[in-house]
Amino acid sequence: MNNQTNTTRETILTGDRATGPLHLGHYVGSLKKRVSLQNEHDQTILVADIQGLTDNAHKPSKVSSNILNVVADYLAVGIDPLKTTICMQSQLPALAELTMYYSNLVTISRLERNPTVKSEIKSKGFNRSVPAGFLTYPISQAADITAFNATLVPVGDDQLPMLEQTNEIVRKINSLAGKFVLNECKPLLSNASRLPSTDGKNKMSKTMGNAINLGATEKEIRTAVHSMYTDPSHLRIEDPGNVDGNIVFTYLDAFYPDQEYVNQLKESYQRGGLGDGTTKKILEECLQELLKPIREHREFYLNDKAQLIEILRAGSEISKSKTNTLLHRVKDVFGLNIL
Ligand code: TRP
């Protein structure tokens, strides 16, 4: 695991809010990449249960009931707990402590300017009743990242403002200390453009029923593909159709293994003569094939909850000591390690 000869070995931290089972958007956006990153880097994945509570404290079971589902999702796609440390945010007290220290370095107006938080506050209709924990979750995320002294954070572009705020905090700590204490982190942006929801209208969401979960049954996959948004003006098979904004083609681009074949399908669709029934059938077969082994593995892991808990416990134990080390360094900056 610790290949010292590889100088480009990065310390990677990623995480997911445990607010629902993971779906195909997570798969193309980040899970696939994590599976390959674990072979060359020192990777930790954080099940962000506390962050999940920042807008779900009134229904905490939405978080607690999904923690093991998310771990099963990780394992099912090929994340190997011998190569990747999987840990649980609420098991690491250093993260909460760091959040308290960092809170003194960040202003409310800076938090209100964070574009992702700003748009989430708007879309959730919080107005002035935004929970303090929600407004400040970028600080807690900075604690997550710096507690592992991460250098690389694979994220979607909506998370860039969090990394920017993290690096602002890092620079403040380093400048307070007058020496290097914490690493700045770089984003590793996923090159897969964000996968649209099956209805083509919204961002894919765990709760809106417009996503295909990794554990979706054969029937759920079929129903989702057959109800996908295509080109509403493509009425007859022989009519020329539009592939832009046609979700079936967006998914074929993302998942079909042979891009050349997808390009041929697109040409024939645009020319006229290829029906939505056929393109949906091709996509359905492809997704059934992709998801069958993932679903089976997922079920296998969920049938042995004790093993999932042990994986999380062991990963959290390792992470606890790593994050305590970083907490100690930060407390040092404030001159508090006097006892
Ligand atoms: N905010 C991330 C999300 O919404 C989850 C997350 C929590 C995270 N802590 C993190 C991501 C640290 C990267 C690094 O999915």
Side-chain angles (χ1 to χ4, degrees):
M1 261 193 0
N2 275 315
N3 177 4
Q4 297 294 340
T5 57
N6 186 345
T7 51
T8 60
R9 193 176 173 87
E10 306 266 7
T11 303
I12 297 181
L13 180 78
T14 63
D16 299 284
R17 290 182 187 192
T19 52
L22 303 182
H23 53 60
L24 282 179
H26 296 108
Y27 183 76
V28 280
S30 65
L31 295 174
K32 249 167 79 172
K33 185 171 280 154
R34 295 178 194 178
V35 173
S36 66
L37 288 169
Q38 68 183 347
N39 294 316
E40 280 132 51
H41 303 283
D42 183 2
Q43 178 169 257
T44 301
I45 302 181
L46 182 76
V47 180
D49 53 349
I50 300 183
Q51 192 178 113
L53 287 174
T54 59
D55 60 340
N56 288 296
H58 54 293
K59 44 175 184 315
S61 65
K62 189 172 167 201
V63 175
S64 55
S65 67
N66 276 303
I67 293 170
L68 296 185
N69 284 335
V70 169
V71 179
D73 285 331
Y74 294 154
L75 303 182
V77 298
I79 287 169
D80 176 351
L82 296 176
K83 297 178 178 169
T84 296
T85 305
I86 304 175
C87 63
M88 189 167 154
Q89 194 179 27
S90 62
Q91 288 298 306
L92 310 175
L95 301 184
E97 287 191 50
L98 282 172
T99 304
M100 291 308 290
Y101 294 110
Y102 295 165
S103 296
N104 304 316
L105 304 173
V106 183
T107 64
I108 299 287
S109 73
R110 175 64 184 95
L111 289 163
E112 286 172 341
R113 273 202 316 275
N114 181 309
T116 298
V117 174
K118 206 167 163 179
S119 80
E120 284 173 327
I121 289 176
K122 202 164 167 209
S123 72
K124 291 173 197 290
F126 278 141
N127 297 314
R128 288 300 293 163
S129 6
V130 56
F134 189 85
L135 183 65
T136 54
Y137 88 73
I139 305 180
S140 136
Q141 194 158 329
D144 300 341
I145 295 169
T146 55
F148 290 88
N149 221 358
T151 52
L152 196 62
V153 185
V155 281
D157 53 6
D158 62 319
Q159 296 294 301
L160 290 178
M162 311 306 160
L163 303 203
E164 219 171 278
Q165 281 206 263
T166 300
N167 286 338
E168 285 172 24
I169 292 172
V170 166
R171 287 192 288 269
K172 281 188 181 160
I173 291 286
N174 288 343
S175 121
L176 264 177
K179 61 174 187 199
F180 166 82
V181 179
L182 298 172
N183 286 315
E184 286 196 35
C185 64
K186 298 179 297 286
L188 179 62
L189 275 180
S190 115
N191 49 15
S193 57
R194 205 175 311 163
L195 197 67
S197 58
T198 51
D199 55 16
K201 289 195 192 103
N202 298 292
K203 195 179 137 184
M204 203 182 288
S205 151
K206 293 167 194 157
T207 39
M208 306 247 314
N210 57 13
I212 301 177
N213 291 336
L214 295 180
T217 62
E218 239 182 279
K219 186 154 172 272
E220 283 167 343
I221 297 168
R222 184 170 315 124
T223 309
V225 171
H226 286 272
S227 65
M228 265 183 188
Y229 181 84
T230 57
D231 171 6
S233 59
H234 184 234
L235 298 176
R236 288 168 308 173
I237 292 179
E238 55 277 20
D239 291 341
N242 202 345
V243 298
D244 293 326
N246 184 321
I247 305 302
V248 175
F249 281 102
T250 313
Y251 275 62
L252 283 170
D253 277 335
F255 297 103
Y256 202 83
D258 181 354
Q259 188 61 45
E260 203 35 54
Y261 181 64
V262 176
N263 291 341
Q264 286 169 17
L265 290 175
K266 283 184 183 171
E267 276 167 32
S268 121
Y269 192 85
Q270 284 165 320
R271 221 183 300 125
L274 181 59
D276 289 320
T278 310
T279 57
K280 285 180 172 177
K281 188 158 172 284
I282 296 167
L283 175 63
E284 193 211 321
E285 270 169 27
C286 153
L287 293 182
Q288 295 286 12
E289 200 173 308
L290 171 75
L291 289 175
K292 184 172 192 278
I294 296 179
R295 176 175 59 241
E296 288 171 358
H297 284 131
R298 194 177 181 276
E299 262 160 39
F300 171 82
Y301 291 117
L302 282 172
N303 275 331
D304 189 355
K305 295 237 163 68
Q307 193 203 355
L308 291 177
I309 289 169
E310 181 48 30
I311 288 170
L312 257 187
R313 200 202 52 75
S316 300
E317 205 54 48
I318 295 171
S319 304
K320 211 181 268 184
S321 81
K322 277 192 192 166
T323 54
N324 280 340
T325 306
L326 263 292
L327 171 65
H328 189 86
R329 274 201 223 166
V330 170
K331 285 174 85 167
D332 227 24
V333 175
F334 293 101
L336 297 176
N337 291 323
I338 56 171
L339 303 188

